[in-house]
Amino acid sequence: MSMHRVLTTLGCALTAVLVTACSVGPPTEPARPATATAVRTHDGPVRGAAHDGYRTFEGIPYAAPPVGRLRWAPPRRAAPWSGVRDATRPASACPQPAGEVPGGSTDEDCLHLNVTTPEGAGPARPRPVIVWLHGGGFTTGAGSSYDTHRMATRGDVVVVTVNYRLGALGFLAHGGLPGSGTFGLADQQAALRWVRAEIGAFGGDAHNVTLAGESAGGYSVCAQLASPAAAGLFDRAIIESGPCTGRPDRPFAPSSVPLSTARAAGVDLAGKAGCGSARDVLACLRRVDVSRLLAAQGTDQQPAHTTPLLPGDPAAAIAAGRFHRVPVLLGNNHDEGNGWAAGIVQAGHPVTPDTWPDVVASFFPAPGQAKEIVREYPVQRTDGGPVFGAVIGDADFACPTARTDGLLAAHVPVWRYEFADEHAPPLGSGTPPFPLGAPHASELPYLFDLGGRPRDLTTAQHRLANTMIDYWTRFARTSDPNGPSSPPWSRQTVLSLAPDHIVPTRTAPPRHHCAFWNALG
């Protein structure tokens, strides 16, 4: 196997692991909470759970199960139910290999969402709503992995987390198949329509909805900004480590692909699933077991553009100013690439002065690029891993985020951050080959309890977590993260720690080589 194939495969697999490594494994079973008062939706009443200061409603269907003829069909409305539906436990995650979800999932009846409301929220005094789209490389993840009660209670907001179709079941493209390459994005829009119609009964303000996500979830927000079908479905956007200008030739960050490319991948999938020579390929694929489809799909999944839902590449649409005019909060982590670099080194691919040119050439094969990158990012005898991490972080995240910021800011208010706590709790087990700093997804435990487990944060980190939640939720309330009790957020704020206080800076230090990447193209 070529170096490029080895490293790309490792990188794509690590995407899902790094995003939610600290949520792997079943959470400790809590004491069963008291039931909450039933809430009536248009499909029927649901009864959730009452906790100290908040209520949860889990596993609410927002669309019909995408099974049988509805596999690879646009989402349909969920069937109404009689009686009170139990909403005290999450529903199944969408089909995916083992990882974040212990043992994986093969249950296609997965189009559900979860609602967390602060105590006192009700139709008479509606709260702002944050709809969270999980990451996981469009291949893994679940809304139920994110315990959002700290955000809901401290920020006094209603938070909704969403399952959407993943992998080949979410993004298959095939000639003559309506919705090709975008079924997962269509699910997200169906969930947003549910929120507009139903969230008022849970105490949410249906006219104040912020769409937020991280990694693939952040890129999903970009796609929805550029999708004509998402017009009017949300009022603000939060994009974490999912820059809208991602490119398929930078494989660590999420991106979209042309429909022609997605269809070629669909032909490959059909062949691997045993349907390539069938008279009716789609009918054959709809009969294939989920586990076989998961085994046949690639590790790298992307939505398709040049489609009705996504007419153009989000990067091109945003560059041309063709996106929904809503305020945006976006950012990245200072050391985004270090987790992938560390994993690749630990998998037996050391980065040394001798191997460094080949590693770079595997990701930047255009003539002359590798030599320029090696000169800009030289590897000394012992620092190969962090240098590789810096290249991934700058090329795939920091500099594309800066470009996204500039393109969006020409039309709408934009607030940009960099998460830079170099002592962020590790997301995975084991000892990395070098200090990871603030890698991809390391900001998530400051906003959520992942997998139902609070992270072991220091006093200063708890203070940073509270400040971040204040920033995020004030933005959701007013389009401005600033408030009387937090350090002022300037044009760009760096979220980092001094010994026991937060340090926002008016001008970020020149940490990244963006002038170099802009010139390189």
Side-chain angles (χ1 to χ4, degrees), residues 51-198:
H51 308 264
D52 184 14
Y54 65 100
R55 297 176 298 157
T56 56
F57 300 84
E58 300 180 280
I60 304 174
Y62 67 84
V67 299
R69 287 184 171 272
L70 296 186
R71 181 188 276 184
W72 297 306
R76 307 283 179 87
R77 181 175 173 177
W81 54 86
S82 59
V84 179
R85 184 183 181 97
D86 178 60
T88 61
R89 296 181 182 276
S92 295
C94 285
Q96 59 191 276
E100 172 184 344
V101 175
S105 172
T106 57
D107 189 351
E108 291 180 88
D109 183 3
C110 65
L111 298 186
H112 301 86
L113 51 76
N114 314 290
V115 181
T116 302
T117 70
E119 194 171 77
R125 186 169 168 258
R127 269 58 165 191
V129 180
I130 297 176
V131 177
W132 179 257
L133 303 177
H134 66 77
F138 293 113
T139 306
T140 67
S144 58
S145 293
Y146 298 81
D147 180 335
T148 65
H149 80 274
R150 286 191 289 120
M151 180 175 286
T153 55
R154 182 174 179 87
D156 198 28
V157 296
V158 173
V159 187
V160 180
T161 63
V162 179
N163 287 355
Y164 55 93
R165 280 175 283 182
L166 302 166
L169 289 165
F171 300 98
L172 174 76
H174 191 277
L177 179 63
S180 273
T182 59
F183 300 107
L185 298 181
D187 294 342
Q188 296 167 7
Q189 293 181 1
L192 287 167
R193 288 192 292 271
W194 184 97
V195 168
R196 286 293 202 203
E198 308 287 0

Side-chain angles (χ1 to χ4, degrees), residues 421-496:
D421 179 6
E422 62 180 332
H423 303 294
L427 293 181
S429 58
T431 302
F434 57 87
L436 299 184
H440 191 64
S442 58
E443 88 285 6
L444 291 177
Y446 293 70
L447 299 170
F448 309 106
D449 291 349
L450 300 183
R453 296 187 181 94
R455 301 298 290 162
D456 185 16
L457 302 178
T458 66
T459 300
Q461 288 170 331
H462 274 295
R463 192 175 296 116
L464 175 58
N466 289 340
T467 297
M468 290 172 63
I469 288 173
D470 291 345
Y471 280 147
W472 268 233
T473 55
R474 274 198 300 267
F475 173 80
R477 179 170 283 104
T478 69
S479 302
D480 186 340
N482 287 302
S485 60
S486 294
W489 186 313
S490 60
R491 180 65 183 84
Q492 173 173 316
T493 285
V494 175
L495 301 170
S496 59

Side-chain angles (χ1 to χ4, degrees), residues 18 47 51 102 105 124 130 141 159 186 205 239 245 260 282 292 339 403 408 458 464 502:
L18 289 169
R47 178 174 285 115
H51 308 264
S105 172
I130 297 176
V159 187
D205 185 349
I239 303 167
T245 53
S260 57
L282 287 174
R292 189 173 179 184
R403 173 166 168 73
L408 293 171
T458 66
L464 175 58
I502 314 305

Side-chain angles (χ1 to χ4, degrees), residues 11 16-17 20 78 101 118 185 217 222 275 320 325 357 402 406 422 431 508 511:
V17 175
T20 46
V101 175
L185 298 181
C222 297
C275 294
R325 298 295 196 261
E422 62 180 332
T431 302
R511 301 162 180 245

